[in-house]
Amino acid sequence: MATPVNPQPLLRDASQQRVASALPEGVRVRVLHAVYGDPRAAAELVPLLSDRQSAGLDPLPTEPAELAPELLRAHRTEIRALPDDTRLLLLLAAADQYPVATHAFLRAVAAVGLDTRPLEAAEAAGIAHAGAGGVVFRDAWTRIAAYETGSTADRRDVHRLLARVLHGAGETPRRSWHRGAGALGPSGRLAAELCGAAEQARAAGQLALARALLERAATLCPDPPEQSRLRARAATDAWQSGDADRALRLAATATPDDALTGLLALRAGNATEAFDALLTAAAQTGTRVRGNGSADGREGRRAAAVGEGERARDGVSAWDGAGVGGAGVGGVRGDGGMVGGAGASSGMGVRDGARESDGVGVRNGARGPDGVGEPDGVGVRDGVTMPGSAGAVCGPATPTPRASDASAPGTSGATTSASAAPASTATTAASITSAPALTASSTTAAPLTTAPATTAPPTTFTPTAHLLARATEAAIYTGDLRRCREAAQVAEGMGVGMPGTLGGLAAAFEGRYEDARDLLEAAAGRCGPGGDPTLLVHAGIAALMLGDHTRAATATVRAAASARARGATATVTQALEFRAYADFWTGRPQAGAATATDALRQAYATGQGNGACHLQAALAMFAALTGDGDTCRERAAAARSYALAHGLGLPAALAQWALAFLDLADGRFAGAAARLRALAGFGPGHGHRAIRHLATPHYVEAAVRTGDTRVARAAHADYDRWATAVRSTDELALSARCRALLAPGSEAVEHYRTALDLHARGTRDFERARTEFLFGSALRRLRHRTEARDRLHSALEAFDSFGAPHCAAQVRAELRALGAPATPARRTTDEPTARLTAQQLLIARMAAEGATNREIAGRLALSPRTIDHHLRGVFSRLGIRSRIELVRLLGDSGATR
């Protein structure tokens, strides 16, 4: 879900704003997200936060009573004043919407013949009113209060009623939710059913629903170890759906596990610690898999050992023994194995061949052993408690045969195994890395082998490979060459087939460029539509390394689309992080800045501080390209400070590069060279060798301007070897430009011509313009006046179109030195807003809509001082003196629409 450009302000009055301003921007966004965007609740919550919560070190509260107790108390008082019949209808409607929306209120009313006229009292009180699809509450807190006002017995009754009317295709997970919410107490059978329902919800891309189902299953599960495992899986779904605070709280209640710890740390903690935890989990998982014979292709034994329960149907693989497409749902642990539990239409443990339209196993409509009425006959075994039902009922199960498979007499399709794997690190790793994996490039509901038949054959992405992929990302973020090598060695030692990104990066860092090219090409080739987000993000990273920016943009856009389709809100942010690089290279700073700004708010809202740091660095680079020095320096400082504390070498290096480019474009060549030399700084959080390599053309330019060509020649030699190996026209063009800068006198001319010929076949339009500028400057010094003038005018037009005034100023200085007129940039419109940069126009629009400087600063993650500076620039360029004039001017031009 995209974050609005102009979200509601966190707090309205000045005193509340002063309290909230002390919070870091990420915490402010999460507070607003947690309270459903209600400023009243935010005002109540902020003073209740602990020091660690206010600093973003501990998760925020997730339960309504902890978020806004006074507001809820006031709403409950309002609702208790209503007639009993009205309160009953409101309770039914609230249970239908909170915390899981099931859209069954009207069916429930019709099923028992309830009179809806009592809702008029709620409408008269301004609490709720009847709508076309049911009851519309005044706000989220009124809905919550209506639910909490009901007695426990009444809540159970309305949940059972809603479960009874939910019997349509695809409604199984929501029906199971209401059955679980209506339970009297712990029930292994209901817990197993909820596990299966969670798998179905996950496969449909409904991760928030899957989390709620698993959390309820953990509450009903009678076995403590299985409760912990289910909470870990619920934490995974919560994280992927964007509910970071709930994910962290669930993870804290689960048994400590390297995989879960590493996956959370990758996006919100220390990247070095994330790498170590993920590599440990991968080694443990791989050892367990190899120890059970899967190395020679016996997938059934691997599934039993790791608890994956893997079976595929229609391209979807279910890993956790509760899968769609033939895997048993939890089941009840008997004397020798796992007995399949609730069934699904795809063949999950169907009893006696009976099946409802939505595929839940039916057993004669009898009452279940937990005393919960089963009028719709869902998943009931004639009220008979199976042997060992108090055991681990929600754990991994062996694959269950389909209904069409032959079964032994009297088994009714149930399947037993000789042994059941206990919950372990390997089991948990399998569950959290299969569907959905939990990180920046992780997958979501459907497992990682869902490529359609029209694309390349699907790749089996095992739990071990998943964890190694996450470790790869951690190594990329740290910029630690040793860790890249270590991960590659572990993968090679396990014989794990992975995307070539890991091996390609390790080979590139070691100077084995031909090997790196082959591995990265293989990874970049996996960017077809409908693919798994993990593979697509890795394909985008590989394409960026190869200089194939068009393919990188395609892969990252498809990764974001695939993640959205799977409900993985958290994964979208990371795809957009790497999309920003493609926008930067291809000279689209305005579009890239808009995308990155939106992604930054998403990263904050979903608790992904590491992703937010990376996006801050990307926005610093965009600001450097457009000559916005204040914004560049502010964002770069924020990114580097956070990166150092969390071991993030990649954003630290990108922010340093942004500052260096700003220096370079402003003519501070010595400062630019010094910053660029430090890009591979020692230790995680300081620098990144890949960024240093990519910045080599800028370093050569800065070094030549300062007369220090010795190191520049060595850097160019290595860069040229890479460009030759990957055969990227853009990289070869930049290498030719470096050669021209290093060549004496007239020898440079042919190198510049070669560079421009290569640029014409590439995609890096901004760098093409810079090459023309440098070529024009060289031609001026060689007294080739006519061609110099043409080259400089071409560069000037390009920089003006890119919105890079500081680069354009350099060109104009060269034209003045040439004695040629430096004509102003041609405007394609007479609109006054054409005088503004993209950042200025965005700020002007917000100001025209009534936002204060502090509110604009909060939305854009900048300081109020920077916003004030931008608004002064807006007023100056537009020739106005007040916000009233700004509103009128933008309204007349249509810029506020």
Side-chain angles (χ1 to χ4, degrees):
M1 179 178 68
T3 304
V5 173
N6 295 324
Q8 189 174 14
L10 179 62
L11 302 174
R12 293 196 182 278
D13 65 48
S15 62
Q16 293 172 351
Q17 289 181 10
R18 282 195 296 271
V19 173
S21 64
L23 298 176
E25 174 61 16
V27 179
R28 292 205 299 271
V29 174
R30 280 166 48 215
V31 164
L32 189 62
H33 184 73
V35 299
Y36 307 99
D38 191 322
R40 300 167 301 167
E44 184 176 348
L45 174 59
V46 169
L48 300 177
L49 298 178
S50 69
D51 290 342
R52 288 184 58 83
Q53 288 172 328
S54 297
L57 301 176
D58 284 346
L60 299 177
T62 56
E63 297 305 318
E66 298 175 322
L67 291 168
E70 293 300 327
L71 184 61
L72 275 177
R73 188 175 297 113
H75 284 345
R76 285 196 294 266
T77 300
E78 281 186 279
I79 292 170
R80 289 193 182 102
L82 297 172
D84 290 346
D85 291 347
T86 304
R87 287 191 290 111
L88 178 61
L89 287 169
L90 292 178
L91 173 60
L92 178 62
D96 182 45
Q97 299 175 33
Y98 170 79
V100 172
T102 54
H103 312 292
F105 174 79
L106 295 178
R107 281 181 280 171
V109 166
V112 293
L114 285 175
D115 184 1
T116 59
R117 283 177 294 181
L119 283 174
E120 294 174 0
E123 185 168 0
I127 291 174
H129 66 272
V135 174
V136 180
F137 287 93
R138 176 177 57 197
D139 54 38
W141 296 103
T142 303
R143 180 177 64 236
I144 295 169
Y147 182 79
E148 293 185 347
T149 303
S151 67
T152 303
D154 286 344
R155 288 187 213 170
R156 282 200 298 265
D157 288 342
V158 297
H159 280 299
R160 291 174 186 173
L161 171 59
L162 291 165
R164 195 170 69 196
V165 300
L166 284 165
H167 47 69
E171 292 185 327
T172 300
R174 288 173 171 80
R175 178 174 58 188
S176 295
W177 159 257
H178 284 300
R179 284 169 40 76
L184 291 171
S187 166
R189 183 183 51 76
L190 273 175
E193 180 186 327
L194 288 164
C195 288
E199 292 294 335
Q200 291 185 354
R202 189 180 297 111
Q206 299 167 339
L207 296 183
L209 174 57
R211 186 276 306 165
L213 289 163
L214 287 172
E215 203 170 348
R216 185 62 182 165
T219 302
L220 296 177
C221 186
D223 185 61
E226 293 302 322
Q227 290 177 4
S228 178
R229 192 181 72 88
L230 288 172
R231 289 193 186 97
R233 293 176 57 203
T236 302
D237 289 332
W239 179 267
Q240 281 292 80
S241 66
D243 195 346
D245 293 304
R246 188 177 296 274
L248 293 170
R249 287 183 174 275
L250 284 167
T253 64
T255 302
D257 173 75
D258 285 326
L260 180 57
T261 299
L263 292 168
L264 289 170
L266 178 59
R267 298 297 289 168
N270 186 285
T272 302
E273 295 172 2
F275 175 88
D276 294 340
L278 289 164
L279 200 62
T280 298
Q284 292 172 342
T285 305
T287 300
R288 185 172 182 81
V289 169
R290 290 199 311 276
N292 286 273
S294 67
D296 56 357
R298 292 190 289 268
E299 290 297 307
R301 292 183 64 185
R302 175 177 59 81
V306 185
E308 294 164 350
E310 178 184 1
R311 286 178 68 91
R313 180 180 177 86
D314 300 329
V316 179
S317 166
W319 293 80
D320 262 344
V324 180
V329 181
V332 179
R333 191 181 297 277
D335 292 332
M338 302 295 288
V339 180
S345 59
S346 54
M348 296 192 300
V350 179
R351 297 292 177 268
D352 298 338
R355 195 178 294 179
E356 287 197 352
S357 60
D358 56 353
V360 176
V362 179
R363 181 71 169 173
N364 300 333
R367 183 173 298 274
D370 56 357
V372 179
E374 313 289 353
D376 53 351
V378 181
V380 181
R381 298 187 182 85
D382 295 327
V384 178
T385 302
M386 302 300 291
S389 61
V393 300
C394 311
T398 53
T400 303
R402 304 185 184 191
S404 58
D405 294 344
S407 300
T411 62
S412 300
T415 301
T416 59
S417 70
S419 63
S424 65
T425 299
T427 302
T428 306
S431 68
I432 65 177
T433 55
S434 59
L438 174 77
T439 68
S441 64
S442 48
T443 64
T444 64
L448 297 175
T449 55
T450 57
T454 57
T455 65
T459 302
T460 300
F461 220 26
T462 65
T464 304
H466 262 289
L467 291 167
L468 283 169
R470 305 290 83 74
T472 297
E473 290 155 17
I476 292 171
Y477 279 115
T478 63
D480 190 330
L481 174 59
R482 179 185 63 81
R483 285 180 164 80
C484 286
R485 289 171 175 163
E486 187 178 351
Q489 289 168 358
V490 170
E492 182 180 0
M494 291 181 176
V496 175
M498 291 185 60
T501 311
L502 173 60
L505 285 169
F509 289 168
E510 292 170 359
R512 296 183 288 109
Y513 291 155
E514 287 75 14
D515 293 342
R517 177 199 61 214
D518 295 340
L519 291 165
L520 292 171
E521 276 289 352
R526 297 187 176 96
C527 63
D532 166 72
T534 299
L535 297 178
L536 287 168
V537 170
H538 278 248
I541 295 171
L544 285 171
M545 290 291 295
L546 292 168
D548 190 343
H549 311 111
T550 300
R551 188 157 53 169
T554 299
T556 50
V557 167
R558 286 175 174 171
S562 178
R564 288 190 187 98
R566 299 169 188 230
T569 303
T571 306
V572 175
T573 303
Q574 197 239 4
L576 295 178
E577 288 175 41
F578 288 98
R579 169 61 193 271
Y581 284 93
D583 287 331
F584 164 61
W585 292 133
T586 52
R588 299 191 300 272
Q590 289 88 353
T595 300
T597 299
D598 187 46
L600 178 62
R601 283 198 66 83
Q602 290 187 48
Y604 281 143
T606 53
Q608 300 184 78
N610 294 356
C613 176
H614 195 188
L615 287 160
Q616 285 274 27
L619 286 165
M621 180 59 86
F622 289 131
L625 257 67
T626 56
D628 189 345
D630 289 343
T631 299
C632 175
R633 283 184 282 272
E634 183 173 341
R635 291 199 184 279
R640 287 183 60 78
S641 174
Y642 182 98
L644 183 60
H646 293 79
L648 303 173
L650 180 63
L654 182 58
Q656 183 82 333
W657 188 5
L659 293 171
F661 185 83
L662 190 66
D663 286 339
L664 183 64
D666 288 342
R668 297 185 294 271
F669 303 118
R675 290 184 190 277
L676 292 169
R677 277 195 300 271
L679 282 182
F682 179 79
H686 290 272
H688 201 283
R689 290 183 64 174
I691 296 295
R692 180 179 183 177
H693 177 81
L694 294 172
T696 295
H698 292 164
Y699 171 69
V700 170
E701 181 181 346
V704 167
R705 295 296 190 101
T706 61
D708 181 11
T709 59
R710 184 182 60 83
V711 179
R713 289 182 187 281
H716 168 248
D718 188 62
Y719 186 86
D720 183 67
R721 196 162 66 86
W722 168 257
T724 303
V726 300
R727 297 186 292 272
S728 164
T729 54
D730 286 311
E731 306 290 344
L732 289 169
L734 290 172
S735 179
R737 187 175 87 189
C738 292
R739 193 174 291 111
L741 286 166
L742 292 164
S746 59
E747 291 183 21
V749 173
E750 288 307 313
H751 294 310
Y752 276 122
R753 296 193 194 283
T754 300
L756 288 172
D757 288 343
L758 289 165
H759 274 308
R761 302 197 298 272
T763 59
R764 296 180 66 169
D765 294 336
F766 191 93
E767 291 298 338
R768 178 194 59 77
R770 191 146 192 91
T771 299
E772 284 202 300
F773 159 62
L774 293 170
F775 188 20
S777 299
L779 289 169
R780 179 186 65 78
R781 290 190 296 273
L782 293 170
R783 301 184 183 280
H784 297 175
R785 296 176 56 83
T786 301
E787 186 177 3
R789 184 182 63 247
D790 292 341
R791 295 295 182 187
L792 290 171
H793 276 299
S794 177
L796 177 61
E797 184 175 356
F799 286 137
D800 280 332
S801 69
F802 293 142
H806 57 325
C807 294
Q810 285 185 316
V811 181
R812 288 191 173 91
E814 286 289 335
L815 284 168
R816 286 193 297 271
L818 188 64
T823 57
R826 290 172 294 177
R827 293 198 180 101
T828 58
T829 175
D830 292 331
E831 294 289 347
T833 53
R835 308 169 202 163
L836 304 179
T837 67
Q839 181 87 313
Q840 286 175 331
L841 181 57
L842 178 62
I843 292 170
R845 285 172 174 167
M846 292 182 182
E849 291 169 2
T852 66
N853 287 11
R854 188 174 296 278
E855 289 169 349
I856 297 172
R859 296 171 197 176
L860 298 181
L862 295 170
S863 70
R865 180 180 57 81
T866 300
I867 300 302
D868 182 66
H869 167 78
H870 279 301
L871 279 176
R872 286 199 302 270
V874 168
F875 286 6
S876 175
R877 290 194 179 199
L878 297 181
I880 59 177
R881 296 184 178 183
S882 70
R883 290 191 178 219
I884 295 175
E885 292 180 84
L886 179 65
V887 172
R888 183 176 63 251
L889 189 63
L890 295 187
D892 292 342
S893 67
T896 57
R897 293 191 292 271

